[in-house]
Amino acid sequence: MSNRLTNKLAGLSLLAAVTPALHAEDWTAVTGRQNLIDLVSGATAEIEVKPGRTVTGYYAPDGTARIEAWGEVFRRTWQVEGEDRVCYTSAEKQTNCFTFEQDRDDLQHYRVRNTGTGEFTHFHLVGDKLASGEEAAPGGLARPSAEEVAAELSNPNTAMGTMNFNFDYVAYQGDLPGAGSQEATRLLFQPSLPYPLDETTNVFVRPAIPVIVKQDVPSGAGQFNDVTWELGDIGFDLSLGKTLPGGIVLLGGVTGTLPTATDDNAGLDQWLLGPEAAVAMVRPWGVLGVLVTQQWDVAGKNDYDTNVTGGQYFYAFNLGGGWQINGSPTFSYNHEARNSDNKLTLPLAIGVSRTMFLGGRPWKFGVQYWHYLESPDDFGPDYQLRFIVSPVVALPW
């Protein structure tokens, strides 16, 4: 490699894409350990995953790197192996190695080849930067892989913004006549747009907006009202999340419920408020944690009292390629229920999900089955199916 080119690459910005160059036909390999170190060391990598939206990577001379994508930071390390390849390793220990080639017809044009998959990534020098198209080989020089994004989306303190759509089917059981033939179909929309305070601390404001497609509600002995296409009571939480050394995550804040139901049978007609707290352990293999909330009625209908301890336990095991085994069921304990047999609602959950890139944007798709180990004896859920669709979105700030 010429000294002129080496000097240019010292402060280079990389912008990568898998779209092949239209003019390039003749390539020459870039080899030599020092030449490859000069190429990558101190580089900034940018990839346009969609028009107007880029992902940026920073590769430090000490062999560390970080990828900034969709509001989150993904850590990596890089090193030159032998005389002809550079290898990048994610926090999940996923390693991709690349060889580099220079276009003889355009000395500012390069391509790299993933030695494991054979995929090519192209980049150009444009002054002090490189230009490209819309896609890049995942897990390489530019954007994070599906496995990295899947792992980060399972982190309760992630800084990635998502639009979460949960589609639920619930089958009921109970001692009330006809309880075993009742069911519900609901959509829960829960956007999450965290506000990062620093790399380890985020503020979350998350509404939970339920749309009841169909819900059978007890109205008397052996009688049920059929609620269809109504808005339920909107829940919300405001919390602060902190990631501690060692991968321990702590969250704390307040949670509440607003009396927004458009049908009296679909809501409590009360304002609820109380504290919430969560603790989780984030590891390369996955995530394990629990969220606990407490809500009391603070205003609204006073014919009865509401005192509910609730929450959610959650887990995820990373399988690679964006696949996970996971579950995130909700539980509750109604302190005001008429007897102990109607207080606890506790499901056991198992599910599978996959994160993939569609149109340059990460999407998470999943399905979970909840089997209720404990449910109110009079009328309560027997089992539940949840279908999950969660596109990652850019944070407005």
Side-chain angles (χ1 to χ4, degrees):
M1 183 179 293
S2 67
N3 291 332
R4 177 180 64 85
L5 183 56
T6 300
N7 291 335
K8 281 187 177 181
L9 292 175
L12 108 104
S13 295
L14 296 174
L15 193 75
V18 296
T19 52
L22 297 178
H23 66 279
E25 297 289 344
D26 196 6
W27 301 91
T28 183
V30 179
T31 59
R33 181 178 179 83
Q34 191 57 51
N35 285 337
L36 292 171
I37 290 174
D38 291 340
L39 177 64
V40 179
S41 181
T44 298
E46 293 184 348
I47 172 68
E48 187 180 44
V49 295
K50 60 179 294 187
R53 180 64 56 188
T54 60
V55 169
T56 306
Y58 303 92
Y59 302 90
D62 65 358
T64 61
R66 72 182 193 275
I67 309 296
E68 295 182 357
W70 305 287
E72 189 53 76
V73 176
F74 299 84
R75 299 293 178 179
R76 289 194 184 155
T77 59
W78 67 271
Q79 64 178 355
V80 175
E81 290 193 357
E83 295 291 321
D84 65 347
R85 67 186 62 191
V86 182
C87 297
Y88 303 85
T89 302
S90 69
E92 290 74 33
K93 306 304 180 184
Q94 179 186 17
T95 299
N96 289 278
C97 296
F98 298 84
T99 58
F100 288 72
E101 295 177 297
Q102 183 185 26
D103 183 354
R104 289 182 178 179
D105 297 325
D106 180 0
L107 297 182
Q108 292 182 307
H109 180 212
Y110 286 79
R111 71 177 182 180
V112 295
R113 177 180 177 273
N114 187 315
T115 59
T117 65
E119 293 179 293
F120 283 97
T121 299
H122 290 251
F123 60 87
H124 282 85
L125 278 171
V126 179
D128 289 334
K129 290 191 175 182
L130 296 172
S132 76
E134 295 186 6
E135 297 292 339
L141 289 171
R143 75 181 186 196
S145 66
E147 180 178 353
E148 290 176 285
V149 174
E152 187 56 41
L153 288 176
S154 298
N155 183 345
N157 193 34
T158 180
M160 300 182 75
T162 53
M163 295 289 153
N164 304 298
F165 298 88
N166 299 320
F167 303 88
D168 292 314
Y169 171 79
V170 185
Y172 290 94
Q173 55 83 40
D175 296 335
L176 293 178
S181 59
Q182 309 308 310
E183 59 185 14
T185 305
R186 300 188 294 255
L187 166 64
L188 180 66
F189 173 53
Q190 190 171 26
S192 178
L193 300 174
Y195 186 87
L197 300 180
D198 55 43
E199 286 194 6
T200 62
T201 310
N202 297 289
V203 175
F204 298 90
V205 180
R206 290 172 292 206
I209 305 171
V211 176
I212 299 170
V213 180
K214 180 183 182 301
Q215 175 92 46
D216 295 323
V217 181
S219 59
Q223 297 181 343
F224 294 85
N225 288 328
D226 188 12
V227 178
T228 57
W229 291 107
E230 300 287 351
L231 176 67
D233 287 344
I234 295 177
F236 69 90
D237 71 336
L238 170 63
S239 61
L240 180 70
K242 178 71 174 180
T243 300
L244 304 178
I248 301 299
V249 173
L250 301 177
L251 288 93
V254 296
T255 184
T257 302
L258 308 177
T260 57
T262 53
D263 186 305
D264 290 343
N265 293 307
L268 296 175
D269 198 21
Q270 289 182 330
W271 298 74
L272 308 182
L273 194 65
E276 71 172 1
V279 60
M281 178 177 62
V282 180
R283 294 289 188 268
W285 51 260
V287 175
L288 183 64
V290 62
L291 166 72
V292 178
T293 66
Q294 172 64 44
Q295 294 192 67
W296 298 275
D297 59 298
V298 295
K301 194 172 184 177
N302 57 12
D303 294 349
Y304 52 87
D305 295 326
T306 298
N307 178 5
V308 176
T309 301
Q312 181 181 55
Y313 68 86
F314 51 92
Y315 65 90
F317 298 101
N318 302 321
L319 302 179
W323 288 95
Q324 292 178 310
I325 293 175
N326 49 20
S328 53
T330 58
F331 58 85
S332 65
Y333 187 87
N334 184 0
H335 299 270
E336 300 296 334
R338 67 183 183 87
N339 57 47
S340 60
D341 293 334
N342 289 281
K343 292 180 181 291
L344 179 62
T345 303
L346 177 65
L348 179 67
I350 184 69
V352 62
S353 68
R354 187 185 182 190
T355 300
M356 64 182 68
F357 291 91
L358 298 175
R361 180 191 303 277
W363 290 68
K364 184 174 184 177
F365 300 91
V367 60
Q368 295 183 20
Y369 173 76
W370 301 5
H371 177 72
Y372 284 82
L373 302 178
E374 293 289 340
S375 184
D377 280 3
D378 290 348
F379 182 75
D382 182 19
Y383 68 88
Q384 179 172 336
L385 283 174
R386 167 165 286 188
F387 300 91
I388 302 165
V389 179
S390 299
V392 174
V393 297
L395 297 176
W397 35 82

